[in-house]
Amino acid sequence: MSPEALLNIGVSAISQGIIWSIMSLGVYITYRLLNFADLTVDASFTTGGAVSAIMITQGYSPILALICALIAGMGTGFITGFLNTRMNISALLSSILAQIGLYSINLRIMGKPNLPLLRVETTFKNFSEWIGLRDPFSSLILGFTVAVAVVCILYWFFGTEIGCAIRATGDNPSMVRALGVNTKNTVLLGLILANGLVALSGGLLAQSQGFADMGMGTGAIVIGLATIIIGEVLFFKKNFMLRLFGIVFGSIVYRIIIAIVLQMKVPSQDLKLFTAIIVALALWIPNALDQNRARRARKSANKELFAGDQDTNNGGASHA
Amino acid sequence: MLNIKHLRKIFNPGTPNETMAIYDLNLHLKPGDFVTLIGGNGAGKSTLLNCIAGVYPPSAGVITINDNDVTFKPEHKRANYLGRVFQDPMLGTAGNMSIAENLAMAARRGKSRGLGWGISKEEFDQYKEYVSRLDLGLENRMSVKVRLLSGGQRQALTLLMATLQRPDLLLLDEHTAALDPRTADKVLYVTRRLVKENNLTTMMITHNMRQAIEFGNRLIMMNHGRIVLDIEGEDKKGLEVNDLLKRFAAASGEEFDSDRALLSM
Ligand SMILES: Nc1ncnc2c1ncn2[C@@H]1O[C@H](COP(=O)(O)OP(=O)(O)OP(=O)(O)O)[C@@H](O)[C@H]1O
Ligand SMILES: [Mg+2]
């Protein structure tokens, strides 16, 4: 393969990773901050793609299409939140219900299962012309700009009074109520924000890949989890800002892994299997590493402590 | 201050698990009252405090705080009036947030929350000063996650959080029961100081009869969902544990049956 082709593949994997990372930041809000297993994601991602694609084909500006994708995604988060907080349906079930219902809605938005964006303007094409760089490079810059903006907004928001209340809700809801906050509203708000980001990511993806289809969000939740965990294992956990950037980098790493897998001529229908395996490994490895570290620490401590024992008959050190 | 009329609480009504936790309870607290609440296991003490706090709605009766009918107000709205500390040290604080962030959240109890910064520099310094007065060495660990603190440290912090915005009524549900005796003493000392400094109306559940006699100006004993003894003022001052047991037996027609309470004398 030519170096240029390799560079192209690398850069487009990175820019894909960045676009998908916005979805993962949304998943991070529900999964880690709110402690809410939100499966709406698979559908709201598609909702974002569908809204973004249909608006462009109808001649609206690509930027407006992204804004509407964001708003539509917030609406999907509201549906799950309403089912959960106002109708008292469990988190898992309300998000599954929303996901199923949204399947029909997404199909209605698009009108057909697949919507190509061939001879129309997209944010990416416009941006590419505007800065005078060709595709994977311009997508990279645009995606990165959006991701940095989202990270900064999230960092700010979760430092505000409302943001703190949302974080605390995932931590200890009964305390939050005792401190005068309606936890139903904090859960609802978190879901709205999270799914808005997920749909924005779907809208960006549709514009960057040049089509939207009904299957584009399938498995998104799993990819989001994988990304978060890769980010936490490989990158920084120190402070909140670094955690958020860790997710963006985790998403890039994930896409590079997928690109490598594809280069190894793995048929694309097996890709979901690979994703599942990667996630299973990513969930298992941090645990295994911790246990291994503890075992080694115990061994060396035992060695040191038992070394002083003079008793040679049953040799304490050999039990170490 | 607090006024409870004909409070009744039935759990799982109409099912085989139906439990009458509170039968028909009337209680009036004057401002500044410090009530210790004692009674056997399952007497309904926690249920009473939870009904006051709005954790669940009562099955019958009316609860007013400062002449506001709160009977059906949701928990987060009643929080305006109440400071609470729970038996389980995990329940009062958010473990993944720092000491300072927990205090900042507590400082906003009863106020509307917006997009202002969650904690300001001045607040931080002020909380540091409050925390140093707990005398637990926590003032230099303000940014440490609360989950890394011991149970006693968490309870002391929860107490401080409950009183940061002066509550009309402070509810303590066996808040030292999960602690070792020395730590429990320290937390009780902080309790006494904060109640006195802020002149708080307080209800404190305890299993320790000595404590119930020693603390506060009023002692209430519950049994099977009813108040069986209500001892106040001068009458309470001269009280001995044995008197209390006798008066309980006379009033309820039963022996006091809490093993825990007798052991912890
Ligand atoms: N959430 C609940 N659901 C069902 N039953 C409950 C619930 N909470 C309490 N009960 C029952 O109500 C009765 C009173 O319980 P409560 O917790 O108020 O007692 P208590 O006086 O606090 O006892 P303890 O000293 O053991 O804490 C008990 O029979 C208990 O089993
Ligand atoms: Mg109790």
Side-chain angles (χ1 to χ4, degrees), chain A:
Chain A
M1 198 188 312
S2 73
E4 187 169 350
L6 209 59
L7 183 67
N8 266 344
I9 291 170
V11 172
S12 79
I14 294 174
S15 79
Q16 287 266 308
I18 290 171
I19 290 171
W20 280 89
S21 74
I22 294 164
M23 183 269 307
S24 304
L25 289 167
V27 174
Y28 179 76
I29 294 172
T30 45
Y31 178 67
R32 276 278 187 260
L33 297 184
L34 267 185
N35 201 7
F36 188 112
D38 179 26
L39 302 184
T40 321
V41 174
D42 282 22
S44 55
F45 191 80
T46 309
T47 304
V51 168
S52 159
I54 196 75
M55 284 188 66
I56 297 180
T57 55
Q58 310 234 328
Y60 290 98
S61 105
I63 301 264
L64 182 65
L66 287 179
I67 294 170
C68 290
L70 175 79
I71 294 169
M74 292 175 139
T76 66
F78 176 82
I79 293 169
T80 303
F82 187 88
L83 292 173
N84 176 241
T85 63
R86 297 307 192 274
M87 292 169 68
N88 296 321
I89 300 170
S90 78
L92 202 60
L93 202 53
S94 43
S95 66
I96 290 175
L97 288 173
Q99 192 195 94
I100 296 292
L102 282 168
Y103 187 86
S104 301
I105 293 177
N106 289 339
L107 199 52
R108 271 189 186 273
I109 294 172
M110 289 207 290
K112 53 185 175 182
N114 192 313
L115 208 60
L117 304 173
L118 288 179
R119 273 169 293 279
V120 291
E121 287 185 5
T122 69
T123 316
F124 290 89
K125 286 182 199 162
N126 291 350
F127 184 75
S128 173
E129 275 167 28
W130 182 59
I131 66 164
L133 264 178
R134 67 185 174 76
D135 180 36
F137 300 95
S138 62
S139 299
L140 184 68
I141 294 171
L142 180 59
F144 193 70
T145 312
V146 177
V148 169
V150 169
V151 166
C152 291
I153 290 170
L154 290 182
Y155 180 78
W156 163 76
F157 179 71
F158 284 106
T160 64
E161 292 169 338
I162 292 177
C164 282
I166 292 178
R167 280 192 293 142
T169 301
D171 209 341
N172 184 350
S174 59
M175 161 193 124
V176 175
R177 282 191 293 273
L179 296 182
V181 178
N182 187 350
T183 48
K184 295 185 171 194
N185 290 345
T186 48
V187 169
L188 190 63
L189 204 57
L191 284 166
I192 288 174
L193 181 60
N195 283 290
L197 291 178
V198 170
L200 175 63
S201 174
L204 279 166
L205 183 71
Q207 296 196 17
S208 116
Q209 67 186 9
F211 67 91
D213 68 22
M214 285 304 292
M216 65 188 285
T218 310
I221 179 72
V222 179
I223 295 171
L225 295 181
T227 305
I228 291 168
I229 292 157
I230 294 173
E232 287 175 348
V233 174
L234 296 185
F235 302 97
F236 355 82
K237 283 206 258 189
K238 272 269 170 288
N239 71 40
F240 191 59
M241 180 69 105
L242 291 180
R243 270 169 189 268
L244 295 176
F245 275 117
I247 292 168
V248 177
F249 290 121
S251 180
I252 293 171
V253 169
Y254 175 81
R255 285 295 148 189
I256 290 174
I257 295 173
I258 295 291
I260 292 170
V261 169
L262 283 174
Q263 285 308 305
M264 295 186 325
K265 298 280 178 288
V266 173
S268 63
Q269 74 248 32
D270 292 343
L271 210 55
K272 293 261 191 279
L273 177 62
F274 268 89
T275 307
I277 292 172
I278 291 172
V279 175
L281 288 178
L283 286 167
W284 170 70
I285 287 172
N287 250 317
L289 286 180
D290 276 354
Q291 279 178 11
N292 195 28
R293 203 170 303 131
R295 192 179 318 121
R296 271 203 313 240
R298 192 164 55 232
K299 252 191 180 157
S300 76
N302 275 347
K303 215 176 191 171
E304 189 187 320
L305 294 170
F306 282 99
D309 293 2
Q310 295 304 315
D311 191 346
T312 46
N313 285 336
N314 58 15
S318 68
H319 288 289

Side-chain angles (χ1 to χ4, degrees), chain B residues 95-150:
Chain B
N96 288 321
M97 297 173 85
S98 69
I99 296 179
E101 282 177 316
N102 270 279
L103 286 163
M105 298 252 320
R108 286 159 179 77
R109 182 169 56 77
K111 300 186 170 165
S112 70
R113 283 160 219 253
L115 292 176
W117 210 233
I119 175 167
S120 68
K121 180 79 186 80
E122 300 86 74
E123 276 183 88
F124 188 92
D125 294 338
Q126 192 177 24
Y127 300 154
K128 197 165 166 168
E129 135 82 8
Y130 292 153
V131 167
S132 73
R133 294 173 60 203
L134 292 177
D135 197 21
L136 292 166
L138 291 177
E139 58 276 12
N140 297 319
R141 302 173 66 192
M142 294 296 287
S143 300
V144 164
K145 301 263 181 287
V146 168
R147 81 179 122 84
L148 301 175
L149 305 187
S150 72

Side-chain angles (χ1 to χ4, degrees), chain B residues 11-12 19 21 39-48 56 87 174 207 260:
Chain B
F11 288 109
N12 310 312
T19 313
N41 293 117
K45 307 179 296 291
S46 296
T47 305
L48 172 60
Y56 27 65
Q87 177 172 352
E174 297 193 59
H207 258 97
R260 228 172 359 129

Side-chain angles (χ1 to χ4, degrees), chain B residues 9 17 22-23 36 42 56 77 97 117 120 126 177 181 190 260 265:
Chain B
K9 179 65 193 178
N17 293 326
I22 294 183
Y23 180 72
T36 55
Y56 27 65
K77 290 209 171 132
M97 297 173 85
W117 210 233
S120 68
Q126 192 177 24
V190 173
R260 228 172 359 129
M265 292 193 313

